[in-house]
């Protein structure tokens, strides 16, 4: 799926003495004891009075004004975000919708400072009988105004985004995002729960491939808010202002209408009335072309809204149980079961669910999930990792929390190859070497240094098992390997394996051979399922590669685009990243084993998919891998390669294959980022 483009210079945090003063004053506002906490699903907001000093620095007047300190929350990502920075969207949109959009004074990277819209949240307002129609018309006029904001007035869209008018492509993109980045992305943790309440693994694919649904009518694209519901609407003197624009996008205006109809929880007759007002205001505003195909296409978008919402609704119900400070009681489970059943009832028709379970069945499924390895235990491990990270430590599997930079940097590295000057190959340990004392490095590391000089313009692709963690340390993989070969024999697959791989210790070579000879067969499915189950279990206790978490967090902090490109299951990777508080750094960018196992590395397809997803060119990227397959995939994709090998046994195959830069610890790469000592 496409991803947000890198932060533009406009959206990047500003610098300079004045900006430093603004940041310090803003920080003091954020920590004010008078702050009012307003928590949403995606952000936590602290609302505080605007002081004279900060107002003067910002060039605005305080009077009785308040500001909103807005901090993103660590949440399960269930809706697409095509623009990384909400402040960038607001800066553009506020020029066209001044009354509807709060002003973003500053984006500091980890949080932002916004103007505050005075008034009451619509969810707290009682709508008098007879005023419902006036409220709906106000919404219709809002949508008509957003329809006037076209693509040339908005930030750049991700690479491959559907062009204006291609409504069918846009619709399919939404379905694909939900399937790939919500459903399948989270199956590592929620698969048993989904299946227990009747969600088939192919439910959304069947919805996408429904031949009875006509193709959508082409409509011009415009700005979409995509999240207009009572909690995101402020009422002031009977006027509506729509806040929280982090999920805004560019696309078919019927999508915005459909999300509004569903999330406002209108009754059927209210949906009909709101739709009629929407069409009327679109025509009045000079956008009649946006109402084309309304009668046939709106039902498709509504079906999609009900279908896609079943996944986040079930996951949120479960996660709310796991996130409670203590053990949930009977009422907590009952409340969660009601949420699950409501979501299933609404999705039953579009997803063609065979049966909607009753609340007792849903409660039993939630209890089983909560007590299992992905329920409360997983959430507690995740919180511990975040606490260690926020406290300046790494975690129990990473480097010791109070280690100095020199201790991290005291790893060994070497550069090899024909281009290396005499005396450079085989350099041993550089214990305690400071950044300024680095020996000259190979051309490849010099090129990486150049990339790291502008992290926001570069991207780093990490292999998983090796550069990030040791999935099967020591002899841990031996029992699984024995069982794997037994499974190969049970399915009669020895004869289809390439002779060179019949004694291979790498099961992925075997899986690739079988997938090429027997694509889509039960044997391929059995081998893949076996590997996935073993990897997911191993990810629960896999030790981190020394320095890996530090490197990842520093790259992410500096705005570098990062991804995992691996032959392992995405479920295993997602489980590991969540456990160690790293999910936010990678976002959706995990490119792991798919049902097309014949395209495992050394095939360059996973690397090319990652580049497309990150919106990057090969010249912008470097891959860190520990196998010849990694090296060959990077070479075919024309991406720079840095080999990671913890010992001679791992380094020799990379040397033989032609890798010119091999490091024995990740410290040299951290050094290229010029991390200060002890940072």
């Amino acid at each position: 799926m496409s991803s947000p483009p890198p932060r533009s210079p406009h959206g990047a945090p500003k610098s300079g003495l004045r900006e430093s003063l603004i940041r310090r004053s803003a920080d003091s506002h954020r920590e004010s004891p008078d702050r009012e906490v307003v928590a949403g699903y995606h952000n936590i907001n602290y609302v505080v009075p605007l002081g004279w000093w900060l107002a003067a620095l910002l060039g605005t007047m305080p009077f009785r004004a308040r500001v909103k300190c807005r901090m993103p929350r660590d949440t399960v990502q269930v809706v697409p975000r095509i623009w990384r920075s909400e402040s960038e969207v607001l800066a553009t949109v506020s020029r066209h919708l001044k009354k509807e959009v709060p002003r973003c004074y500053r984006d500091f990277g980890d949080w932002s400072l916004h103007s505050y819209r005075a008034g009451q949240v619509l969810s707290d307002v009682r709508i008098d009988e007879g005023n419902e129609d006036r409220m709906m018309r106000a919404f219709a006029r809002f949508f008509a105004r957003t329809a006037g904001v076209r693509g040339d007035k908005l930030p750049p869209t991700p690479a491959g985004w559907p062009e204006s008018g291609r409504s069918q492509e846009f619709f399919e993109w939404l379905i694909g995002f939900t399937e790939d980045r919500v459903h399948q992305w989270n199956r590592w943790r929620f698969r048993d729960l989904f299946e227990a309440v009747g969600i088939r693994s192919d439910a959304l694919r069947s919805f996408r491939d429904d031949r009875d649904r006509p193709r959508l009518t082409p409509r011009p694209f415009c700005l979409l808010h995509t999240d207009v519901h009572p909690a995101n609407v402020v009422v002031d003197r009977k006027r509506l202002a729509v806040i929280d624009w982090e999920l805004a996008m560019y696309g078919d205006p019927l999508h915005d209408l459909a999300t509004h109809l569903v999330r406002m929880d209108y009754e059927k007759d209210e949906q009909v009335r709101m739709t009629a007002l929407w069409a009327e205001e679109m025509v009045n505003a000079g956008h009649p072309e946006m109402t084309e195909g309304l009668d046939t296409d709106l039902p498709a978008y509504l079906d999609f809204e009900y279908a896609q919402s079943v996944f986040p609704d079930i996951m949120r119900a479960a996660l709310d149980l796991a996130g409670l400070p203590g053990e949930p009681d009977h009422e907590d489970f009952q409340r969660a079961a009601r949420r699950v059943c409501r979501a299933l009832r609404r999705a039953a028709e579009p997803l063609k669910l065979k049966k909607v379970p009753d609340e007792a069945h849903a409660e039993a499924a939630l209890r089983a999930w909560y007590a299992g390895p992905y329920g409360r235990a997983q959430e507690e491990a995740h919180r511990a990792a975040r606490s260690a990270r926020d406290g300046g430590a790494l975690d129990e599997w990473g480097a010791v929390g109070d280690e100095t930079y020199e201790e991290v940097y005291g790893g060994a590295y070497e550069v090899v190859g024909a281009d290396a000057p005499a005396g450079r190959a085989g350099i041993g340990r550089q214990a305690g070497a400071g950044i300024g004392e680095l020996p000259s490095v190979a051309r490849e590391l010099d090129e990486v240094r150049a990339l790291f000089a502008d992290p926001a313009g570069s991207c780093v692709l990490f292999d998983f098992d090796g550069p990030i963690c040791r999935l099967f340390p020591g002899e841990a993989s031996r029992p699984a390997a024995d069982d794997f070969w037994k499974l190969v024999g049970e399915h009669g697959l020895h004869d289809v394996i390439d002779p060179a791989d019949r004694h291979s210790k790498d099961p992925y070579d075997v899986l690739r051979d079988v997938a090429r000879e027997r694509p889509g067969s039960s044997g391929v499915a059995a081998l893949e399922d076996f590997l996935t189950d073993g990897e997911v279990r191993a990810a629960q206790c896999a030790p981190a590669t020394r320095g890996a978490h530090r490197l990842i967090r520093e790259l992410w902090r500096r705005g570098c685009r990062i991804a995992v490109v691996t032959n392992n299951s995405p479920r295993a990777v997602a489980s590991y990243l969540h456990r160690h508080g790293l999910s936010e750094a990678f976002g959706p960018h995990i490119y792991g084993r798919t049902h097309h196992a014949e395209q495992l590395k050394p095939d360059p397809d996973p690397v090319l998919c990652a580049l497309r997803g990150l919106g990057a060119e090969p010249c912008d990227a470097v891959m860190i891998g520990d196998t010849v397959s990694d090296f060959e995939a990077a070479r075919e994709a024309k991406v720079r390669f840095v080999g990671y090998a913890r010992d001679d046994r791992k380094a020799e195959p990379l040397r033989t294959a032609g890798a010119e830069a091999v490091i024995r610890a990740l410290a040299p790469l951290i050094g290229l980022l010029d991390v200060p000592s002890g940072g």
Side-chain angles (χ1 to χ4, degrees):
M1 298 274 59
S2 299
S3 62
R7 187 188 292 271
S8 72
H10 174 83
K14 299 178 181 180
S15 59
L17 177 59
R18 181 166 174 269
E19 295 304 320
S20 177
L21 293 173
I22 289 174
R23 176 64 189 256
R24 271 188 277 173
S25 182
D27 281 337
S28 70
H29 277 65
R30 186 177 62 166
E31 301 303 323
S32 169
D34 299 328
R35 66 190 186 186
E36 174 190 351
V37 181
V38 181
Y41 182 74
H42 298 284
N43 297 278
I44 294 178
N45 303 293
Y46 295 151
V47 180
V48 296
L50 175 60
W52 282 96
W53 174 241
L54 181 57
L57 289 170
L58 294 173
T60 188
M61 294 298 292
F63 297 112
R64 286 178 292 180
R66 290 190 287 174
V67 288
K68 184 165 60 176
C69 305
R70 190 163 170 81
M71 284 152 289
R73 299 184 69 176
D74 181 29
T75 61
V76 176
Q77 196 68 32
V78 295
V79 285
R81 296 186 66 161
I82 71 167
W83 293 308
R84 176 175 296 189
S85 168
E86 183 186 13
S87 63
E88 185 177 5
V89 178
L90 291 175
T92 303
V93 174
S94 61
R95 293 196 293 270
H96 307 282
L97 302 172
K98 293 182 180 179
K99 295 179 181 179
E100 284 85 3
V101 181
R103 178 182 174 187
C104 178
Y105 291 120
R106 285 298 185 276
D107 184 348
F108 301 116
D110 53 344
W111 69 281
S112 52
L113 185 71
H114 295 242
S115 62
Y116 177 72
R117 300 296 306 224
Q120 287 182 284
V121 178
L122 182 58
S123 55
D124 296 335
V125 176
R126 180 178 176 272
I127 305 299
D128 296 331
E129 189 174 348
N131 286 335
E132 297 94 336
D133 200 73
R134 185 167 61 181
M135 182 188 68
M136 290 184 188
R137 188 171 290 278
F139 280 128
R141 288 173 177 164
F142 164 77
F143 288 122
R145 286 193 290 275
T146 61
V149 184
R150 303 298 177 93
D152 59 344
K153 300 173 183 176
L154 294 169
T157 52
W161 191 254
E163 295 179 4
S164 179
R166 296 189 174 180
S167 299
Q168 182 66 30
E169 289 184 22
F170 175 76
F171 185 66
E172 292 173 356
W173 188 95
L174 292 173
I175 299 172
F177 175 89
T178 303
E179 171 64 7
D180 294 344
R181 299 305 184 193
V182 181
H183 176 205
Q184 297 298 337
W185 178 264
N186 290 289
R187 278 188 73 81
W188 69 270
R189 189 173 185 185
F190 297 98
R191 178 183 61 176
D192 292 344
L193 179 57
F194 288 152
E195 292 178 353
V197 296
I199 301 294
R200 307 183 315 276
S201 62
D202 66 342
L204 206 56
R205 291 195 295 270
S206 298
F207 174 83
R208 177 196 61 199
D209 299 335
D210 186 353
R211 296 185 178 181
D212 294 332
R213 185 188 306 112
R215 290 183 64 83
L216 300 189
T217 303
R219 273 175 297 277
F221 288 6
C222 64
L223 169 69
L224 313 179
H225 183 281
T226 77
D227 203 23
V228 182
H229 60 77
N232 281 345
V233 177
V234 174
V235 181
D236 179 28
R237 298 174 185 175
K238 299 182 180 180
R239 278 175 37 178
L240 302 181
V242 181
I243 60 174
D244 292 3
W245 287 78
E246 67 267 19
L247 304 181
M249 64 164 57
Y250 173 66
D252 187 341
L254 277 194
H255 175 52
D256 222 4
L257 175 60
T259 59
H260 174 69
L261 294 177
V262 171
R263 294 174 197 181
M264 287 293 292
D265 210 17
Y266 289 128
E267 298 292 341
K268 190 64 177 178
D269 61 328
E270 292 175 327
Q271 285 194 359
V272 172
R273 179 58 178 158
M274 181 65 217
T275 301
L277 290 172
W278 179 89
E280 180 183 333
E281 292 298 334
M282 283 289 183
V283 173
N284 291 342
H287 311 304
E289 69 281 3
M290 293 190 175
T291 67
E292 294 291 331
L294 174 62
D295 293 340
T296 56
D297 293 356
L298 182 58
Y301 276 110
L302 289 172
D303 282 348
F304 168 70
E305 279 304 304
Y306 291 128
Q308 69 84 21
S309 65
V310 75
F311 301 106
D313 286 350
I314 291 174
M315 291 190 295
R316 287 170 178 170
L319 289 173
D320 284 351
L321 292 170
L324 290 172
E327 288 293 314
D329 59 24
H330 182 59
E331 289 186 1
D332 293 324
F333 279 110
Q334 283 188 323
R335 191 179 304 111
R338 285 195 293 272
R339 292 172 63 184
V340 168
C341 289
R342 181 177 185 270
L344 290 168
R345 285 193 297 271
R346 302 204 309 175
E349 184 176 345
L351 289 182
K352 296 181 172 57
L353 303 182
K354 295 180 179 179
K355 182 182 178 181
V356 175
D358 58 25
E359 290 184 10
H361 183 100
E363 182 180 338
L366 286 163
R367 287 182 180 275
W369 177 87
Y370 178 87
Y374 303 128
R376 185 59 173 262
Q378 180 74 217
E379 202 62 19
E380 288 178 347
H382 177 54
R383 284 199 295 268
R386 286 187 59 81
S387 176
R389 184 195 74 184
D390 296 341
L394 293 183
D395 57 51
E396 67 269 34
W397 300 112
V400 177
D402 61 354
E403 66 190 346
T404 65
Y405 174 77
E406 284 78 14
E407 288 171 328
V408 175
Y409 189 72
Y413 71 94
E414 63 180 332
V415 289
V416 297
D419 294 335
R424 183 180 292 176
I427 293 175
R429 293 187 61 84
Q430 302 292 315
I435 297 171
E437 300 170 24
L438 273 172
S440 59
V441 294
R443 171 173 52 84
E444 286 72 21
L445 290 186
D446 282 334
E447 292 175 353
V448 174
R449 184 196 298 275
L451 279 177
F452 283 4
D454 177 24
S458 61
C459 68
V460 178
L461 312 180
F462 287 87
D463 180 41
F464 177 59
D465 185 9
I468 294 180
C469 69
R470 292 184 66 188
L471 196 56
F472 296 102
E475 299 295 315
S477 64
R478 179 167 293 178
D482 293 341
D483 291 340
F484 179 80
W485 279 107
K486 289 178 184 177
L487 192 61
V488 170
E490 289 172 5
H491 284 267
L493 297 172
H494 281 291
D495 292 342
V496 303
I497 299 172
D498 188 299
D501 296 330
R502 288 178 185 173
H503 301 288
S504 173
K505 295 181 180 179
D506 189 342
Y508 307 106
D509 292 337
V510 176
L511 178 61
R512 186 189 308 107
D513 292 343
V514 175
R516 286 171 178 167
E517 296 297 323
R518 303 276 179 85
S521 67
S522 61
V524 172
L527 296 180
E528 208 284 323
D529 287 346
F530 177 86
L531 289 175
T532 296
D533 289 344
E535 291 165 351
V536 170
R537 286 195 302 272
Q540 295 301 299
C541 55
T545 297
R546 188 177 179 90
H549 293 187
R550 190 189 191 101
L551 175 60
I552 289 166
R553 288 173 178 136
E554 186 63 21
L555 288 168
W556 178 53
R557 186 184 71 81
R558 293 178 178 231
C560 184
R561 293 164 287 174
I562 57 178
V564 175
V565 180
T566 178
N567 285 346
N568 297 123
S569 165
R571 287 175 54 204
V573 179
S575 173
Y576 178 89
L577 297 180
H578 179 84
R579 180 178 177 85
H580 294 283
L582 295 169
S583 299
E584 200 175 359
F586 288 94
H589 300 296
I590 296 178
Y591 301 90
R593 188 171 63 247
T594 69
H595 60 282
H596 295 296
E598 69 277 7
Q599 293 178 334
L600 295 173
K601 295 178 291 183
D603 191 295
D605 184 72
V607 179
L608 297 173
C609 285
L611 293 175
R612 288 193 296 270
L614 292 168
E617 298 296 328
C619 60
D620 299 327
V622 60
M623 181 170 182
I624 304 171
D626 69 331
T627 67
V628 173
S629 293
D630 295 329
F631 170 67
E632 291 177 348
R635 181 175 58 190
E636 289 297 312
K638 297 180 173 56
V639 167
R640 295 173 184 83
F641 180 80
V642 172
Y644 166 74
R646 65 180 184 272
D647 53 35
D648 284 337
R649 182 181 63 83
K650 296 286 289 184
E652 187 58 35
L654 291 170
R655 293 193 195 101
T656 303
E660 296 181 342
V662 178
I663 55 176
R664 295 208 184 166
L666 297 177
L669 298 184
I670 300 173
L672 295 181
L673 283 165
D674 292 329
V675 181
S677 179

